[in-house]
Amino acid sequence: MENTLKHPLKTIEIYIKDYMPPGCHCNLEDKLKKQNPNVVEVSINPLDNIMKVTFHEGVTSADEIIKWMKKCGYDCSISEEDVHTKMRHENHHEMMVKEFKRKTIVSLIFTIPVLILSPTVQRWMGLSVPNFGFNTALLVIFSSIIVIYGASPFYKGAFRSLKSRILDMNVLVSLAVGSGYLYSLGATFLFEASDFYWEISTLVLFLVFGHWMEMRAVVGASGALNELVKLIPLKANLVKGDDVVEINTVDITVGDILLIRPGEKIPIDGRVIEGETSVNESMITGESKPVSKKVGDEVIGGTINESGSIKIKVEKTGEDTALSQIINLVKSAQASKPKTQKLADRAAHYLTLTAIIVGVLTFTYWSGIAQAEMVFALTLTITVFVIACPHALGLAIPTVTSISTTLAAKNGMLIKDMKAMEIAKNLDYVVFDKTGTLTRGEFGVSDIISLSNWEENEILRRAAALEVNSEHVIARGIVTKAKEEGISLPKAERFNAIPGKGATAIIENEEVYVGNEALMRFLKLDTTAFRKQLEKLSMEGKTVVYVATEKEVKGLIALSDIIREESYESVNMLKSMGIKVAMLTGDNATTAKYVAEKLGLDTYFAEVLPEEKSSKVQQLQEKGYRVAMVGDGVNDAPALVQADVGIAIGAGTDVAVESADIVLVKNDPRDISRLIQLSKGAMNKMKQNLGWATGYNTIAIPVAAGILFPYGVTLKPEYAALIMAASSIIVVSNALMLKKIELN
């Protein structure tokens, strides 16, 4: 094989249009990788029959992969449509719902006369149906229609499987239906024996009915992603000069001006250029409070304009929009396979082979060793083939994956790989970057202390009036605090900056000074009287600003990188789960210690350079801890990669943070505990489904083989078909219960 290291990897999506039962996908995945060594990874989502293939471009190609798929009999193609068009198309399982519904109705129509014409059923029910001389012919014709038309998807699937040298559920069903039907034809035309027409007819009826119900349940799970797509309206209002015309959203281009009226959905990402409003962004970020928008602010496609009319300039279209990135991340997560699913895939792979072996042994034992009637032996064999179909195993994990990733996205948590969710439920440590994560990342006023006849509001009012002229980060913090308090600022005259010390200005006919201790020494003002207060504020890692006149210090304003209120809750919630919490910061030890003590952290790392953050995470890992790193995804990239789970927080519209396993849209540290809650809920559902699916087959196959016959218990093929379908519906319904989880 050619050296592939120099060839880049490429990933494509292949849409398989044929019926492929759940539990049969891993066989095709393995076969493609063995057939083409240049294929690195193959993953089929059984909820939409989309195959994701990663291969070395240059030594193989998408055309070669498609060619092999078609050679095996699969109708498939690569779609170049944008994500919204693809998702709006009727998906695979919706088409299967319609097809199996049609087959159920037709099978039912012809099964009724088959039951009436069957001598066995007549004896059981005490019916007396006149024999017109062609009853047997009608029985053969009606049952043939059921067998040929009703079970046709299974034959097509079996043909494709055998052509690609794969044994799957389609082969099992075809063996079951085909053997019973051919035996019945032989009993009618070639040898003396009881026929199987009514049993095979009801078996096919129950098979297609069960698949119809199963597909309806699956649509409920797989359709969750479509809810995200439906957030984008089909039409938009394009501003052309003085006119407003309605156009299709897909026709919008970058630079277009759109009018968004109150109550309308914002069709695409852009920036407000006219008007003010409040926007409901909960469907994208999970934030319930409407967000105020004014000129210059970004808006996200799919959100709802609640109050005023605005005009926006389009900045992103197609796959670049926030919603498209979210949808693609969710789709990618749904295609990823946690260890639990790989275990289910292996079990499903071997289950088919096991069923064939058990079926052959069942027929051999009952027809040979036990010398039972041929009809009885064949009935049990068919029952084994039917009941062993690995549908429940195939659906057990993907349904949970689909629902959990979509539920996470609706709450502003974007899962890029389900393996990360699998690890998240067993975390020992969560390490937060301090600035911008546990804190706001901006200087804010934490304390105002009056040292004279000026009250706290007066100190803030005069300081803000002076600092409104400055661009310094501390000045902005003081002015922001005054605005938050609704304080009206007087006019500052003769403003003068004093380099390295502060500034001065005339405010209400009085000269006011705002600055550091060096400015106080310059003014020859004594600060010893409040030295203890200064030391306390300094120990808390706060920056102190003096507010004074020429004659005395009027007060102190302390500023710090303010701890988020949500951080207290987040730390408490994590610790209540038994998870330790740490903090990384480049700040000095005094500031770090103060923040750590305020939040009740288990440990902290101070004066850490960006390139040293990953080594701190590694230190915890070397002690045997499973560690999640939470940061902004830029300076924290190495640490995010080093951690067992990397979580980028506060991504906003930049959702495709490459270094993180999980992206949190909001800047809310409480989402970490919510994420872990969802992780535990999802993994529990996976285990429950896997336990049910394996337990069902472990019990059902021996019973179907006749192990309980000595106690008068046997299963008929048609009942096996219903039980098989019911098991699939149970795992899907159990997965859907995940929607009721409360993320506190």
Side-chain angles (χ1 to χ4, degrees), residues 487-627:
I487 296 174
S488 178
L489 302 182
K491 185 179 179 181
E493 298 175 338
R494 289 160 52 187
F495 174 83
N496 182 37
I498 305 172
K501 297 181 177 64
T504 181
I506 303 298
I507 300 172
E508 295 177 335
N509 300 318
E510 187 173 15
E511 190 161 15
V512 177
Y513 294 83
V514 176
N516 55 22
E517 190 159 354
L519 179 60
M520 298 302 103
R521 288 197 297 270
F522 175 76
L523 295 173
K524 298 179 181 179
L525 296 177
D526 187 13
T527 61
T528 55
F530 41 87
R531 182 56 56 187
K532 286 186 178 180
Q533 291 162 299
L534 288 168
E535 288 176 356
K536 179 178 180 295
L537 293 171
S538 179
M539 287 295 292
E540 292 174 356
K542 297 174 181 178
T543 299
V544 179
V545 173
Y546 297 81
V547 180
T549 63
E550 279 187 309
K551 296 181 180 179
E552 66 175 329
V553 177
K554 293 291 187 178
L556 306 175
I557 298 178
L559 298 97
S560 65
D561 187 359
I562 297 174
I563 299 171
R564 296 177 184 277
E565 288 299 320
E566 303 90 348
S567 296
Y568 295 97
E569 272 188 76
S570 176
V571 172
N572 290 336
M573 290 162 76
L574 289 170
K575 294 181 81 170
S576 70
M577 295 177 178
I579 298 171
K580 295 179 182 294
V581 186
M583 179 183 72
L584 287 174
T585 179
D587 289 347
N588 60 53
T590 302
T591 301
K593 182 181 179 183
Y594 171 74
V595 174
E597 288 179 349
K598 285 282 284 184
L599 287 171
L601 304 182
D602 294 284
T603 190
Y604 65 90
F605 303 94
E607 300 177 17
V608 180
L609 298 174
E611 60 269 22
E612 296 174 339
K613 290 182 179 180
S614 61
S615 65
K616 300 300 180 184
V617 172
Q618 190 175 7
Q619 284 178 26
L620 294 174
Q621 290 173 321
E622 287 171 353
K623 294 178 181 178
Y625 295 121
R626 286 178 293 267
V627 181

Side-chain angles (χ1 to χ4, degrees), residues 78-138:
I78 301 174
S79 174
E80 302 297 334
E81 297 168 330
D82 67 88
V83 67
H84 303 103
T85 306
K86 283 188 293 193
M87 296 298 293
R88 277 204 164 102
H89 284 171
E90 187 175 49
N91 70 34
H92 172 81
H93 288 292
E94 285 173 343
M95 292 188 288
M96 287 297 102
V97 166
K98 291 181 180 179
E99 181 172 352
F100 280 113
K101 180 181 180 180
R102 285 194 301 268
K103 293 188 181 298
T104 298
I105 293 170
V106 172
S107 298
L108 177 61
I109 290 170
F110 286 100
T111 297
I112 293 171
V114 167
L115 291 172
I116 293 171
L117 292 169
S118 173
T120 305
V121 176
Q122 289 175 28
R123 285 196 301 273
W124 285 352
M125 301 188 67
L127 297 174
S128 179
V129 179
N131 191 336
F132 299 105
F134 48 80
N135 286 24
T136 300
L138 289 174

Side-chain angles (χ1 to χ4, degrees), residues 110 114 134 136-146 181 197:
F110 286 100
V114 167
F134 48 80
T136 300
L138 289 174
L139 201 58
V140 172
I141 292 169
F142 292 155
S143 59
S144 296
I145 292 171
I146 297 165
Y181 177 65
Y197 293 121

Side-chain angles (χ1 to χ4, degrees), residues 429-444:
Y429 248 106
V430 173
V431 180
F432 286 93
D433 178 57
K434 180 183 85 72
T435 306
T437 304
L438 291 174
T439 65
R440 292 182 184 175
E442 57 187 32
F443 268 96

